[in-house]
Every structure is written in C-alpha cells, then in structure tokens.
Amino acid sequence: MPDRVSRELAGTRFGRVEWVAETGSTNDDLLAAARRGAPDGAVLVADHQVTGRGRLDRRWEAPPGSALLASVLVRPEIGVAVAHWMMAAAALALAEACETVAGVATRIKWPNDLVVERDGKPVKLAGVLADSILDGDRLAAVVIGVGCNLTWYPPDLDATSLAAEAGRPVDRDELLVAYLRALDGWYSRLRAGGVGELRASYVERSATLGRRVRAEIGDGPVIGAAAGIGPTGHLVIATSEGDVEVAAGDVIHLRPEP
Ligand code: BTN
C-alpha cells in the first residue's frame, strides 16, 4: 500500500518512495537517476528484478513478490572512506526492522550479510549492495540496495526467509517503513557525529568478530581470528604471521580449533 508507506515516512528523508512491478535492478535504476540529478533520499522498490545484482558480481534472484527489494539514493557530503559505513547503516537498519516487525533476531556477517545462526553456522536472510558515484575524492552519490528474503530463499544455499524464521507471513510494507525509518536515523547520526556510534552497534551485532575465519582474497586464503573492524570497515584478521586487513571478499566462518 504505497500511500500508507509514504504517509508513515513523512518527516524522514525517505518519504518519496517509487514502486515498480518489474525492473532490471533497483540499484541500476537509481544510479541512472542519480546521474540525472535525482535528490538525496530517493527510494525505489520493485516487486521483481530481472537482472538483480549481488556483491562480487553475483546475481541476486527472487521470484516476483517474494522479497523486499529496495534501493535508496543518498548524497552524503562525506569522504569516500565513510562509504562503507553507509552499507553498515543499511545492514543495521534492516536488522532492527526484522526485529521490530517480525521478532526475528539477526546478526551481521562481515561485511554486510544479515544472518541467523543455526548450529553455529550463519544462514543468510538478506544482503546489501552499495554503488558509488565519485566526483574526484568526493562521494557524489551512493545507492544502497537491500534484498531481504520474505517468503522464498534459494534452496541450494545456506539461506532462509523472514517468514520461515518468524513462523508467520511478514508484511513487506511494514518492513520497508521500519527499515527506512531506522536508516534515516543512522544516516542522520552518521552525518552529525561520525562513525563512532554506528561502529559500536555494528560490532555488537557482528556474527563474525571473535570467530576463526577464512577470507578468500586475491593473494590466497587468510586464516585466523576475526579480531576487529578498522576505521574504514575493513576486517582485521589476526593470523600466526600478524594482523591482515581484508577490504572485500568472502569470509567463511570456521569451527573453533580443537
Ligand atoms: C548480496 O548479498 O550480495 C547483496 C544483495 C543485494 C540485492 C539488492 S536487491 C535490491 C538492489 N538491487 C540490486 O540489483 N541489488 C540490490
């Protein structure tokens, strides 16, 4: 019910919500809109994407109406180094929304996957993808897209849906409103006071910190203890040869050493 959504978002920067039944990718659409001058706070929601994108050049697929597929455009007037924290803000906001709307507690697997933990293993519920437009060393725009499985999840991956976790259907509009309200709050705090509070909340919600992990990066795997999050969101892994900072890639949670 888009009218209700816009009403409930009045007073936030995300009050202008556009809906489409089908598109390629909501992130791609908002990137194009950003290049045409679309303002801070634009939101695009789709029932279905035919070329939805995930991190690391993967595809993001979901049957029509089975997921929350939403992107926001922000023009944050902050340095490029802070871009990571916009993604973290989206992951935290979505985690908070899953909790308030569906009563489902999630954690964040580095960098920004929302997971529930089953038998000590992370099971993916949602993901975040950010695309930036740079103007020199300034962030002219960031498009942050979230995909959250509501009723369906890919059967061949370690994945789940919000309905499966809640044990009941979850209203997509309610989740969207709660997510955008929470994101509005985090975005305001990030602009006003820097990354401190956001980083602390991210660390508290991390499913990765404190675990033995293997990161797959260009030079080969890095194995060690996930020890911290650096100022620009990099994962610090303590290995037998010292600390290694991982900027991007996949991290696998390993069993603790016997
Ligand atoms: C990931 O876990 O790899 C990130 C998935 C992000 C998917 C969302 S769905 C809405 C937005 N549009 C896209 O094409 N991707 C993001």
Side-chain angles (χ1 to χ4, degrees):
M1 198 75 70
D3 283 352
R4 196 190 81 203
V5 167
S6 295
R7 233 183 3 258
E8 289 181 6
L9 289 167
T12 75
R13 59 172 56 75
F14 298 122
R16 289 177 308 271
V17 179
E18 191 190 333
W19 302 73
V20 291
E22 185 169 283
T23 188
S25 151
T26 53
N27 265 38
D28 289 345
D29 291 351
L30 274 193
L31 278 171
R35 292 194 179 94
R36 294 192 301 269
D40 181 79
V43 183
L44 180 62
V45 183
D47 293 334
H48 186 222
Q49 300 181 123
V50 289
T51 50
R53 294 188 288 111
R55 286 176 57 242
L56 307 172
D57 290 329
R58 294 181 183 132
R59 298 193 56 149
W60 180 270
E61 290 174 331
S66 70
L68 173 67
L69 309 168
S71 298
V72 301
L73 163 62
V74 290
R75 296 188 179 274
E77 296 153 20
I78 48 181
V80 175
V82 181
H84 166 86
W85 294 105
M86 292 301 302
M87 283 184 272
L92 271 172
L94 191 58
E96 289 165 1
C98 289
E99 220 155 276
T100 48
V101 173
V104 172
T106 59
R107 301 184 75 75
I108 302 175
K109 177 172 177 281
W110 188 89
N112 289 303
D113 282 354
L114 243 60
V115 299
V116 297
E117 288 183 335
R118 197 173 294 148
D119 303 327
K121 283 196 351 200
V123 178
K124 183 162 172 171
L125 175 67
V128 181
L129 174 73
D131 293 299
S132 303
I133 299 178
L134 293 176
D135 178 9
D137 62 356
R138 200 179 65 86
L139 273 178
V142 187
V143 173
I144 305 160
V146 295
C148 179
N149 304 327
L150 291 183
T151 55
W152 175 90
Y153 53 91
D156 51 334
L157 302 175
D158 273 337
T160 188
S161 72
L162 205 51
E165 296 305 315
R168 63 174 172 87
V170 176
D171 187 81
R172 186 183 58 169
D173 295 355
E174 241 185 274
L175 186 69
L176 176 69
V177 167
Y179 162 64
L180 291 175
R181 292 183 77 94
L183 184 60
D184 189 56
W186 279 118
Y187 184 32
S188 298
R189 290 193 288 278
L190 185 62
R191 279 171 84 147
V195 300
E197 194 185 345
L198 182 63
R199 188 172 169 190
S201 295
Y202 179 94
V203 164
E204 206 174 301
R205 218 178 248 279
S206 174
T208 301
L209 291 178
R211 293 202 173 254
R212 248 184 106 232
V213 295
R214 185 174 77 235
E216 304 291 348
I217 55 174
D219 303 339
V222 177
I223 296 177
I229 304 291
T232 53
H234 296 181
L235 179 66
V236 181
I237 302 181
T239 75
S240 49
E241 278 143 42
D243 286 358
V244 178
E245 277 205 23
V246 177
D250 268 337
V251 161
I252 294 152
H253 292 184
L254 303 173
R255 289 182 190 285
E257 266 176 321

